[in-house]
Amino acid sequence: MKLYVSPLPPLRSGESRVSNERNATLALLRKIFGNDVQYSHKPSGAPLITSAGKEYLVSISHSASTVAIAVADGEDAIGVDVETYRTQLERVQSKYLSEAEMEIFTSAIDKLKAWTAKEAVYKAALTPGLPLTEIDCTRMADGIVTAGSRTYSIVFPASTLSETIAIATR
């Protein structure tokens, strides 16, 4: 697995946030795969990257200031999430943390890591509608997160309140 990270450029006058994110994503994809890269989506919603006639398994995430792209290297599933701490994570914790997780994840950074881990696993699982409370992070300290009968490895290349990145692979 390889991770590529790039800052989002400032919004230009009249440019939407979505357009800015898409342009930054395409620029980073060109840097990774070359100018012939084709970017689309599979029916599941997962990114589909094609370059030089080869397809690549990738996951893409954006925060307010960053675009992150994780490229699988032998893994059969990959998900990445990049987030900045927001106080609403405290208010909605019962919607993404189980009771057992609420006992484990008490600090702001722990809750942010749990959120990004769950989002990364959600992307890797490719299971639309998978409730975040059904993604179990109680073994996250061991680098393991589960969703149903599937086990994912989880790593945090960055872990601060200003930027946390989680990558889930299977």
Side-chain angles (χ1 to χ4, degrees):
M1 176 273 307
K2 294 179 183 161
L3 175 66
Y4 301 89
V5 178
S6 179
L8 284 174
L11 282 174
R12 294 181 298 227
S13 178
E15 182 181 33
S16 71
R17 181 185 59 81
V18 172
S19 176
N20 186 42
E21 289 174 354
R22 181 163 177 79
N23 290 337
T25 299
L26 289 172
L28 187 53
L29 286 169
R30 286 186 192 105
K31 185 175 180 180
I32 298 166
F33 297 106
N35 288 331
D36 71 331
V37 68
Q38 299 293 312
Y39 172 44
S40 59
H41 290 89
K42 295 179 180 180
S44 66
L48 176 61
I49 305 301
T50 307
S51 179
K54 185 176 176 187
E55 288 186 357
Y56 294 89
L57 181 60
V58 304
S59 183
I60 300 169
S61 184
H62 309 93
S63 70
S65 61
T66 303
V67 59
I69 300 175
V71 181
D73 185 26
E75 295 89 0
D76 66 358
I78 192 162
V80 66
D81 191 47
V82 56
E83 296 284 345
T84 301
Y85 179 77
R86 303 173 314 280
T87 56
Q88 66 212 51
L89 288 176
E90 303 286 337
R91 289 192 312 269
V92 299
Q93 67 182 346
S94 65
K95 298 200 183 295
Y96 70 95
L97 294 177
S98 68
E99 287 186 27
E101 290 169 332
M102 281 191 244
E103 291 180 22
I104 296 169
F105 306 121
T106 57
S107 71
I109 190 68
D110 288 343
K111 290 173 186 174
L112 179 59
K113 286 177 73 174
W115 175 264
T116 57
K118 287 175 180 255
E119 288 286 318
V121 167
Y122 181 88
K123 290 177 180 182
L126 294 175
T127 306
L130 175 65
L132 293 181
T133 53
E134 291 183 17
I135 299 172
D136 182 0
C137 288
T138 56
R139 296 179 53 208
M140 190 170 73
D142 299 324
I144 297 170
V145 175
T146 58
S149 62
R150 294 184 185 156
T151 300
Y152 297 85
S153 295
I154 194 83
V155 294
F156 296 93
S159 183
T160 66
L161 290 177
S162 61
E163 183 167 272
T164 292
I165 300 173
I167 303 171
T169 55
R170 190 183 67 228

